[in-house]
Amino acid sequence: MDNFLSLLSFGPDGWGDQLAAGTWMTIRLAVATVPFGLVLGFFIALAKVSERRWLRFIGETYTTVFRGLPELLTLFIIYYGGQVLLQRVVSLVAPNAQVEVNSFVAGMFALGMVFAAYASEAFVGAIRAIGKGQFEAGDALGMRRATTWFVVVLPQLIRLSLPALGNLWLVLLKDTSLVSVIALNDLLRMTNIAVGATKQPFFFYLVALLIYLALSIISSIGLSKLETRFGRGYGAAR
């Protein structure tokens, strides 16, 4: 038992520093991905409920593609394909320049694009649940459409879509482990390095499992509090 605890110690004799750094990288990646995914997903949702057919086509095509592709394949396309594309663009200006895509940025974009595809469905359901009467009431009061969106619709949209978005956050936390294949030092990659060095796969993978579980439990508590906060007064009003 003491031997296992020493493996988790901080300093040159243990792997605590590496696992902590990997956990912090996982959290940073997930937190950085969410705003990008939410904004993109919101605009995709607007396209899908638009009265313009070509916008609906773009929105539906996006969600069909990114919900249908495996997340790992999307990550490879963004990381390697983006690097090839950037290299060709830069070569037009500086033929001898070498471009290397940052693993963190590539992971954020890849996971964010998948997150957006699913988030758009949550937003679409919320928008349809609100109904057109809210916009008509805003028009009757002389409010601009943008003001109606931000003052009347958006608070309701957050409340209605929050449970689904919370589930997507929990899925995203687990999907961050995929970035280990593009050499980003997240929790899973640092765990794999520790396993290779110590030959203790069961112990370190169990530790990683407990860390992911702890992150999920903390997130669930936080999401529950958010749902309570945004739903405050709604039950009483009904």
Side-chain angles (χ1 to χ4, degrees):
M1 185 65 180
D2 291 338
N3 182 45
F4 286 133
L5 291 177
S6 66
L7 291 175
L8 294 178
S9 63
F10 293 86
D13 298 327
W15 291 89
D17 296 311
Q18 289 83 350
L19 294 179
T23 302
W24 177 233
M25 178 63 73
T26 292
I27 295 172
R28 285 168 54 201
L29 178 61
V31 170
T33 299
V34 167
F36 170 68
L38 285 177
V39 172
L40 181 59
F42 178 70
F43 283 107
I44 294 169
L46 292 182
K48 293 174 71 171
V49 298
S50 173
E51 297 178 354
R52 294 180 174 84
R53 183 178 299 178
W54 64 274
L55 282 176
R56 294 199 304 271
F57 175 78
I58 292 175
E60 293 293 345
T61 300
Y62 181 95
T63 53
T64 299
V65 169
F66 285 98
R67 291 174 67 189
L69 287 176
E71 287 86 346
L72 186 59
L73 181 57
T74 302
L75 181 61
F76 283 148
I77 291 173
I78 297 297
Y79 182 66
Y80 294 108
Q83 188 160 294
V84 171
L85 179 61
L86 286 176
Q87 183 65 58
R88 292 185 177 179
V89 171
V90 172
S91 296
L92 297 176
V93 181
N96 297 324
Q98 295 294 321
V99 176
E100 184 175 352
V101 175
N102 183 275
S103 298
F104 185 92
V105 175
M108 185 191 73
F109 270 93
L111 295 176
M113 293 177 78
V114 176
F115 185 92
Y118 289 95
S120 68
E121 292 294 311
F123 286 134
V124 167
I127 291 172
R128 289 174 177 166
I130 293 172
K132 295 182 178 180
Q134 304 281 350
F135 298 100
E136 294 172 354
D139 293 338
L141 293 172
M143 300 172 65
R144 295 182 178 180
R145 184 55 61 97
T147 304
T148 303
W149 260 107
F150 284 102
V151 176
V152 179
V153 176
L154 189 58
Q156 299 179 70
L157 186 67
I158 295 174
R159 176 179 58 80
L160 292 172
S161 61
L162 191 56
L165 295 177
N167 290 333
L168 292 178
W169 162 258
L170 295 176
V171 173
L172 175 64
L173 270 178
K174 295 179 290 184
D175 285 347
T176 55
S177 61
L178 297 174
V179 300
S180 61
V181 301
I182 58 173
L184 186 65
N185 292 329
D186 72 316
L187 175 57
L188 185 59
R189 176 172 168 79
M190 301 310 294
T191 301
N192 287 332
I193 293 174
V195 167
T198 62
K199 309 303 179 186
Q200 296 286 348
F202 180 78
F203 174 72
F204 278 105
Y205 287 133
L206 178 61
V207 170
L209 180 151
L210 293 175
I211 294 174
Y212 279 116
L213 184 60
L215 293 176
S216 296
I217 291 173
I218 293 171
S219 296
S220 297
I221 294 173
L223 289 168
S224 178
K225 291 184 179 296
L226 276 177
E227 290 181 27
T228 301
R229 179 178 178 81
F230 279 98
R232 187 171 50 190
Y234 178 72
R238 295 183 64 183

